[in-house]
Amino acid sequence: MTTVRRATPADLDAATALFGQYLRFYRREHAPAAVRAFLAARMDATDGVLLVAEVDETPVGLAHCYPTWSSLSLARAWVLNDLFVDPSARGTGAGRALVRAAKAEAAAAGAVYVALETERTNVVGQTLYASEGFVRDDENLHYAAPVGDDVETASPAPFSG
């Protein structure tokens, strides 16, 4: 059985391992201590939500989402910025449960929609997102530019999952 809940400090080790896999999927490497610190800050912050999916009480996936504003909608929107399920747990419904939990969190916070980005090659993810009501935007292009001195770390490509 798959369950999803907000991450707690007790989840930090498992979340760090899962997020490390997520980063490798997007060809990024960061020191485990930096990943752990980033996730600990997300758990403590009030500007977003870090969710954990469990199958039989074992953490197998995570999602990170946060609020933003939609100027075109004149309303609150949310970004599902990161979603990852351990390959051994794919097919358990964990990814779908995380997407649904993220949408529920957004709705409870008054958002009018949830947005996400994924790589063009992530066909499995795209199939899941489409089946959960996400509509692919073929009209707009998304751009990003690093603004810090550490261009390698700040480089937005690949942007998010």
Side-chain angles (χ1 to χ4, degrees), residues 8-21 32 35-36 39-40 43 52 59 62:
T8 68
D11 298 310
L12 199 49
D13 289 339
T16 299
L18 288 165
F19 205 74
Q21 290 182 68
V35 173
R36 185 180 180 86
L39 292 174
M43 288 179 198
V52 173
L62 54 80

mmCIF file of all heavy atoms in Angstrom, residues 8-21 32 35-36 39-40 43 52 59 62:
data_model
loop_
_atom_site.group_PDB
_atom_site.id
_atom_site.type_symbol
_atom_site.label_atom_id
_atom_site.label_comp_id
_atom_site.label_asym_id
_atom_site.label_seq_id
_atom_site.Cartn_x
_atom_site.Cartn_y
_atom_site.Cartn_z
ATOM 1 N N THR A 8 9.390 14.574 7.486
ATOM 2 C CA THR A 8 9.805 15.024 8.812
ATOM 3 C C THR A 8 11.311 14.816 8.938
ATOM 4 O O THR A 8 11.920 14.115 8.112
ATOM 5 C CB THR A 8 9.096 14.225 9.921
ATOM 6 O OG1 THR A 8 9.591 12.867 9.889
ATOM 7 C CG2 THR A 8 7.575 14.238 9.737
ATOM 8 N N PRO A 9 11.934 15.380 9.969
ATOM 9 C CA PRO A 9 13.365 15.150 10.153
ATOM 10 C C PRO A 9 13.744 13.664 10.222
ATOM 11 O O PRO A 9 14.840 13.298 9.822
ATOM 12 C CB PRO A 9 13.668 15.872 11.466
ATOM 13 C CG PRO A 9 12.674 17.006 11.483
ATOM 14 C CD PRO A 9 11.421 16.400 10.907
ATOM 15 N N ALA A 10 12.841 12.822 10.644
ATOM 16 C CA ALA A 10 13.119 11.383 10.684
ATOM 17 C C ALA A 10 13.296 10.803 9.283
ATOM 18 O O ALA A 10 13.873 9.722 9.120
ATOM 19 C CB ALA A 10 11.999 10.648 11.416
ATOM 20 N N ASP A 11 12.832 11.504 8.263
ATOM 21 C CA ASP A 11 12.938 11.048 6.876
ATOM 22 C C ASP A 11 14.208 11.528 6.191
ATOM 23 O O ASP A 11 14.429 11.210 5.022
ATOM 24 C CB ASP A 11 11.745 11.575 6.058
ATOM 25 C CG ASP A 11 10.432 11.056 6.556
ATOM 26 O OD1 ASP A 11 10.314 9.828 6.736
ATOM 27 O OD2 ASP A 11 9.518 11.875 6.773
ATOM 28 N N LEU A 12 15.035 12.289 6.882
ATOM 29 C CA LEU A 12 16.148 12.970 6.234
ATOM 30 C C LEU A 12 17.125 12.021 5.546
ATOM 31 O O LEU A 12 17.550 12.283 4.419
ATOM 32 C CB LEU A 12 16.870 13.868 7.234
ATOM 33 C CG LEU A 12 17.742 14.960 6.664
ATOM 34 C CD1 LEU A 12 17.039 15.771 5.588
ATOM 35 C CD2 LEU A 12 18.228 15.871 7.777
ATOM 36 N N ASP A 13 17.484 10.913 6.159
ATOM 37 C CA ASP A 13 18.424 9.980 5.526
ATOM 38 C C ASP A 13 17.839 9.389 4.247
ATOM 39 O O ASP A 13 18.491 9.382 3.199
ATOM 40 C CB ASP A 13 18.809 8.853 6.493
ATOM 41 C CG ASP A 13 19.709 9.323 7.619
ATOM 42 O OD1 ASP A 13 20.367 10.377 7.472
ATOM 43 O OD2 ASP A 13 19.764 8.630 8.650
ATOM 44 N N ALA A 14 16.607 8.903 4.324
ATOM 45 C CA ALA A 14 15.974 8.302 3.151
ATOM 46 C C ALA A 14 15.749 9.352 2.064
ATOM 47 O O ALA A 14 15.977 9.090 0.877
ATOM 48 C CB ALA A 14 14.656 7.641 3.539
ATOM 49 N N ALA A 15 15.312 10.545 2.457
ATOM 50 C CA ALA A 15 15.078 11.608 1.479
ATOM 51 C C ALA A 15 16.378 12.020 0.800
ATOM 52 O O ALA A 15 16.397 12.284 -0.403
ATOM 53 C CB ALA A 15 14.419 12.814 2.153
ATOM 54 N N THR A 16 17.464 12.056 1.548
ATOM 55 C CA THR A 16 18.761 12.411 0.970
ATOM 56 C C THR A 16 19.173 11.386 -0.079
ATOM 57 O O THR A 16 19.634 11.746 -1.166
ATOM 58 C CB THR A 16 19.833 12.531 2.063
ATOM 59 O OG1 THR A 16 19.446 13.570 2.969
ATOM 60 C CG2 THR A 16 21.199 12.843 1.486
ATOM 61 N N ALA A 17 18.992 10.118 0.217
ATOM 62 C CA ALA A 17 19.343 9.067 -0.743
ATOM 63 C C ALA A 17 18.464 9.162 -1.993
ATOM 64 O O ALA A 17 18.969 9.074 -3.121
ATOM 65 C CB ALA A 17 19.203 7.703 -0.090
ATOM 66 N N LEU A 18 17.164 9.360 -1.811
ATOM 67 C CA LEU A 18 16.254 9.473 -2.950
ATOM 68 C C LEU A 18 16.564 10.708 -3.779
ATOM 69 O O LEU A 18 16.598 10.647 -5.014
ATOM 70 C CB LEU A 18 14.797 9.520 -2.464
ATOM 71 C CG LEU A 18 14.235 8.219 -1.937
ATOM 72 C CD1 LEU A 18 12.952 8.464 -1.156
ATOM 73 C CD2 LEU A 18 13.994 7.231 -3.072
ATOM 74 N N PHE A 19 16.822 11.829 -3.119
ATOM 75 C CA PHE A 19 17.105 13.052 -3.848
ATOM 76 C C PHE A 19 18.437 12.953 -4.585
ATOM 77 O O PHE A 19 18.588 13.503 -5.675
ATOM 78 C CB PHE A 19 17.088 14.262 -2.900
ATOM 79 C CG PHE A 19 16.779 15.551 -3.588
ATOM 80 C CD1 PHE A 19 15.494 15.840 -4.013
ATOM 81 C CD2 PHE A 19 17.770 16.486 -3.820
ATOM 82 C CE1 PHE A 19 15.201 17.030 -4.652
ATOM 83 C CE2 PHE A 19 17.492 17.685 -4.456
ATOM 84 C CZ PHE A 19 16.203 17.958 -4.875
ATOM 85 N N GLY A 20 19.395 12.227 -4.019
ATOM 86 C CA GLY A 20 20.655 11.984 -4.723
ATOM 87 C C GLY A 20 20.411 11.243 -6.029
ATOM 88 O O GLY A 20 21.002 11.569 -7.066
ATOM 89 N N GLN A 21 19.522 10.254 -6.015
ATOM 90 C CA GLN A 21 19.171 9.530 -7.242
ATOM 91 C C GLN A 21 18.481 10.458 -8.241
ATOM 92 O O GLN A 21 18.732 10.394 -9.441
ATOM 93 C CB GLN A 21 18.239 8.360 -6.920
ATOM 94 C CG GLN A 21 18.889 7.218 -6.174
ATOM 95 C CD GLN A 21 17.883 6.107 -5.964
ATOM 96 O OE1 GLN A 21 17.473 5.460 -6.927
ATOM 97 N NE2 GLN A 21 17.473 5.898 -4.723
ATOM 98 N N PRO A 32 26.725 14.626 -0.702
ATOM 99 C CA PRO A 32 25.582 14.213 0.125
ATOM 100 C C PRO A 32 25.295 15.179 1.273
ATOM 101 O O PRO A 32 24.124 15.408 1.592
ATOM 102 C CB PRO A 32 26.009 12.835 0.640
ATOM 103 C CG PRO A 32 26.917 12.314 -0.430
ATOM 104 C CD PRO A 32 27.675 13.528 -0.915
ATOM 105 N N VAL A 35 23.241 17.988 -0.145
ATOM 106 C CA VAL A 35 21.874 17.525 -0.426
ATOM 107 C C VAL A 35 21.087 17.449 0.877
ATOM 108 O O VAL A 35 19.953 17.921 0.971
ATOM 109 C CB VAL A 35 21.884 16.157 -1.139
ATOM 110 C CG1 VAL A 35 20.475 15.591 -1.276
ATOM 111 C CG2 VAL A 35 22.563 16.278 -2.497
ATOM 112 N N ARG A 36 21.708 16.879 1.885
ATOM 113 C CA ARG A 36 21.058 16.748 3.200
ATOM 114 C C ARG A 36 20.702 18.122 3.769
ATOM 115 O O ARG A 36 19.599 18.325 4.274
ATOM 116 C CB ARG A 36 21.971 15.979 4.144
ATOM 117 C CG ARG A 36 21.357 15.689 5.485
ATOM 118 C CD ARG A 36 22.360 14.914 6.377
ATOM 119 N NE ARG A 36 21.798 14.639 7.654
ATOM 120 C CZ ARG A 36 21.038 13.588 7.953
ATOM 121 N NH1 ARG A 36 20.766 12.691 7.014
ATOM 122 N NH2 ARG A 36 20.547 13.426 9.160
ATOM 123 N N LEU A 39 17.711 19.604 1.881
ATOM 124 C CA LEU A 39 16.441 18.981 2.247
ATOM 125 C C LEU A 39 16.026 19.340 3.668
ATOM 126 O O LEU A 39 14.833 19.557 3.936
ATOM 127 C CB LEU A 39 16.523 17.465 2.074
ATOM 128 C CG LEU A 39 16.634 16.997 0.628
ATOM 129 C CD1 LEU A 39 16.863 15.502 0.564
ATOM 130 C CD2 LEU A 39 15.412 17.403 -0.175
ATOM 131 N N ALA A 40 16.981 19.416 4.583
ATOM 132 C CA ALA A 40 16.660 19.819 5.956
ATOM 133 C C ALA A 40 16.067 21.224 5.963
ATOM 134 O O ALA A 40 15.093 21.496 6.672
ATOM 135 C CB ALA A 40 17.907 19.756 6.830
ATOM 136 N N MET A 43 12.497 21.094 4.789
ATOM 137 C CA MET A 43 11.601 20.582 5.828
ATOM 138 C C MET A 43 11.287 21.651 6.865
ATOM 139 O O MET A 43 10.177 21.690 7.406
ATOM 140 C CB MET A 43 12.220 19.365 6.509
ATOM 141 C CG MET A 43 12.232 18.135 5.657
ATOM 142 S SD MET A 43 13.002 16.760 6.544
ATOM 143 C CE MET A 43 13.382 15.680 5.190
ATOM 144 N N VAL A 52 6.815 12.728 1.087
ATOM 145 C CA VAL A 52 7.467 11.420 1.005
ATOM 146 C C VAL A 52 6.401 10.372 0.705
ATOM 147 O O VAL A 52 5.341 10.368 1.335
ATOM 148 C CB VAL A 52 8.185 11.064 2.324
ATOM 149 C CG1 VAL A 52 8.708 9.643 2.303
ATOM 150 C CG2 VAL A 52 9.312 12.037 2.602
ATOM 151 N N PRO A 59 10.222 4.484 2.694
ATOM 152 C CA PRO A 59 10.238 5.616 1.772
ATOM 153 C C PRO A 59 10.769 5.209 0.404
ATOM 154 O O PRO A 59 11.855 4.624 0.293
ATOM 155 C CB PRO A 59 11.188 6.615 2.443
ATOM 156 C CG PRO A 59 11.197 6.222 3.886
ATOM 157 C CD PRO A 59 11.039 4.721 3.881
ATOM 158 N N LEU A 62 9.740 10.944 -3.436
ATOM 159 C CA LEU A 62 9.531 12.254 -2.832
ATOM 160 C C LEU A 62 9.100 13.256 -3.884
ATOM 161 O O LEU A 62 9.290 13.059 -5.080
ATOM 162 C CB LEU A 62 10.781 12.739 -2.101
ATOM 163 C CG LEU A 62 12.115 12.787 -2.844
ATOM 164 C CD1 LEU A 62 12.227 14.014 -3.707
ATOM 165 C CD2 LEU A 62 13.242 12.800 -1.835
#
